[in-house]
Amino acid sequence: MGEARLIILSGLGWMFDALDVLILSYLLVAAAGELALDTQRKTLIILANNLGMLIGAALFGRLADRFGRRKIFMATLLLYSLGTGAAALARSWLEFAVVRFFAGLGLGGELPVVATYVSENSPPERRGRNVVLLESFWSLGAVLAAAISLYLFTSIGWRASLVLLSLTAFYVFVIRLALPESQRWIESRGAQPPGAAAVPQVDLYRLSIVSAIWLMLAFGYYGAFLWLPTMLVKERGFTYVGTYEFMFITTLAQLPGYFSAAYLVEKLGRRPVGSLYFLLSAVSAVLFTYSGAPGELVVWALALNFFNLGVWGVIYAYTPELFPTAVRGVATGMSGSAARVGMILGPMLYPLYSSSALIIIAAVWATASALIWLLPETRGRVV
């Protein structure tokens, strides 16, 4: 299987996942009046979504080790696509929260499975680059989420937009026809029949460090980005349309952030690039907080998107390389579950601390910048 085909076809599924995750921040604004969403109810919806992602990451990572990467990739995509469409039928904030929980199961489950799949099907000298390029499709999903909010929410409404987004379910046919099962996974199963249980032997010390980094990364990302549209409206005086425009423009910085990380992880290594991008993400968050003029806000929001999404790419590339094939899916999934804990805790900051939340997030990212040096470097190694 060609590497370009591997990255593009897997990346489109990744893009749909990002779109469905990030559209939630815009839905909290667009549906606020119709579903009577105050800050507390918005927080509970985010919590339900992220709790689903936490459970999904651990559950489907384990299932991918037992039943194969491709099958679980298809199952998770189908689950969140249908969940997104079902959200269009919600008549109350509680119904919306319940549906987002089930969609979250698929959203959280897909990411570690696809990262593992691409890592296992890439040569060692380009493995890190390929997984970062896979993660770069997240930025395309982010741009699509902003564009859909700007153009579709304001024209056909959020409910009709969600119905259209549910059509991503048909992408399972592309996966089934065009992507083979991971050969590395097949070899790791040996003579065992499909579905037989593998005995996991995970390096718990390494897993704990990786999980802590994932938690810190997600804590800051979701603590900042899920509330950013609300921050702009409530604290900076932006209109709804102005907020969507701001988010659309600044999100464009994510793609070059991924590309720079994809280049540097194979030149400098996973640890130095991850550490640097964590630190610069922290600096960007602080400077955004203390910016006053709209131009300054744009500059530091661009920097925040550039460096923080770049570090996501690095960590996604790094994590599967740290564990053997037989437990790679479950270890990556457990790390992803730690990220979902961060997703739950991070969004609670803004309701409690308002604009000071970004300062706390910056401190957490600076800590992760140091913590990553406790892990071994994997650049160029056969795993």
Side-chain angles (χ1 to χ4, degrees):
M1 176 171 50
E3 289 177 58
R5 179 184 174 192
L6 168 70
I7 295 168
I8 291 171
L9 293 181
S10 299
L12 289 174
W14 197 278
M15 179 184 73
F16 296 145
D17 195 303
L19 171 58
D20 272 317
V21 170
L22 298 175
I23 204 73
L24 178 59
S25 64
Y26 302 101
L27 285 168
L28 295 178
V29 175
E34 190 173 343
L35 297 181
L37 302 181
D38 55 18
T39 299
Q40 182 180 12
R41 288 175 175 178
K42 288 179 180 180
T43 303
L44 290 173
I45 289 170
I46 293 172
L47 176 62
N49 181 83
N50 294 349
L51 184 61
M53 292 187 73
L54 185 158
I55 296 171
L59 172 64
F60 288 108
R62 179 64 179 138
L63 292 176
D65 282 338
R66 295 190 63 185
F67 299 108
R69 317 311 192 197
R70 188 183 67 155
K71 289 180 181 178
I72 303 305
F73 182 4
M74 291 189 293
T76 55
L77 187 144
L78 188 62
L79 179 57
Y80 71 70
S81 296
L82 296 178
T84 297
L89 304 176
R91 295 166 297 177
S92 68
W93 73 270
L94 185 57
E95 289 182 3
F96 191 86
V98 170
V99 174
R100 286 302 304 192
F101 169 80
F102 286 102
L105 291 173
L107 292 169
E110 183 186 272
L111 300 177
V113 172
V114 180
T116 298
Y117 179 79
V118 171
S119 182
E120 289 180 346
N121 285 282
S122 300
E125 66 274 12
R126 292 187 297 277
R127 186 177 57 237
R129 183 205 68 176
N130 287 353
V131 177
V132 178
L133 289 176
L134 167 72
E135 169 67 1
S136 73
F137 281 82
W138 185 273
S139 66
L140 298 180
V143 171
L144 274 177
I148 287 169
S149 303
L150 178 59
Y151 297 111
L152 290 187
F153 281 13
T154 55
S155 58
I156 65 173
W158 63 273
R159 291 184 185 273
S161 299
L162 292 185
V163 172
L164 290 178
L165 290 180
S166 69
L167 297 179
T168 56
F170 289 101
Y171 194 67
V172 296
F173 296 109
V174 177
I175 298 170
R176 182 176 179 83
L177 294 174
L179 289 177
E181 183 53 82
S182 166
Q183 187 62 35
R184 185 71 60 86
W185 176 81
I186 293 173
E187 293 170 358
S188 76
R189 304 299 291 173
Q192 297 182 64
V199 179
Q201 295 179 344
V202 181
D203 184 328
L204 294 180
Y205 170 78
R206 185 173 296 184
L207 180 62
S208 66
I209 299 297
V210 175
S211 296
I213 292 171
W214 271 107
L215 190 152
M216 293 176 181
L217 176 57
F219 177 89
Y221 176 81
Y222 290 98
F225 284 94
L226 280 180
W227 285 111
L228 197 54
T230 301
M231 290 181 195
L232 293 171
V233 171
K234 291 182 63 176
E235 298 180 16
R236 305 289 183 167
F238 280 57
T239 65
Y240 290 146
V241 174
T243 297
Y244 295 151
E245 290 174 343
F246 181 96
M247 296 296 292
F248 179 76
I249 292 169
T250 56
T251 297
L252 295 175
Q254 294 182 10
L255 198 57
Y258 284 121
F259 290 158
S260 67
Y263 175 78
L264 291 174
V265 290
E266 300 297 1
K267 295 294 183 181
L268 303 179
R270 283 50 163 161
R271 291 187 305 180
V273 179
S275 180
L276 177 63
Y277 276 43
F278 260 127
L279 188 59
L280 292 176
S281 296
V283 171
S284 301
V286 172
L287 293 174
F288 179 87
T289 299
Y290 291 108
S291 295
E296 292 178 358
L297 287 173
V298 170
V299 168
W300 296 118
L302 287 168
L304 182 59
N305 276 276
F306 182 95
F307 292 113
N308 196 240
L309 275 296
V311 79
W312 274 97
V314 174
I315 300 304
Y316 261 113
Y318 197 17
T319 301
E321 297 175 342
L322 293 167
F323 302 99
T325 302
V327 294
R328 185 169 294 129
V330 68
T332 305
M334 291 173 71
S335 301
S337 290
R340 309 316 159 203
V341 174
M343 287 177 64
I344 292 170
L345 298 178
M348 294 180 182
L349 275 180
Y350 179 71
L352 294 174
Y353 298 104
S354 188
S355 56
S356 299
L358 289 178
I359 304 301
I360 299 172
I361 287 168
V364 170
W365 282 340
T367 302
S369 175
L371 194 61
I372 197 172
W373 291 97
L374 297 178
L375 296 169
E377 180 58 60
T378 57
R379 178 170 66 98
R381 294 184 182 179
V382 175
V383 298

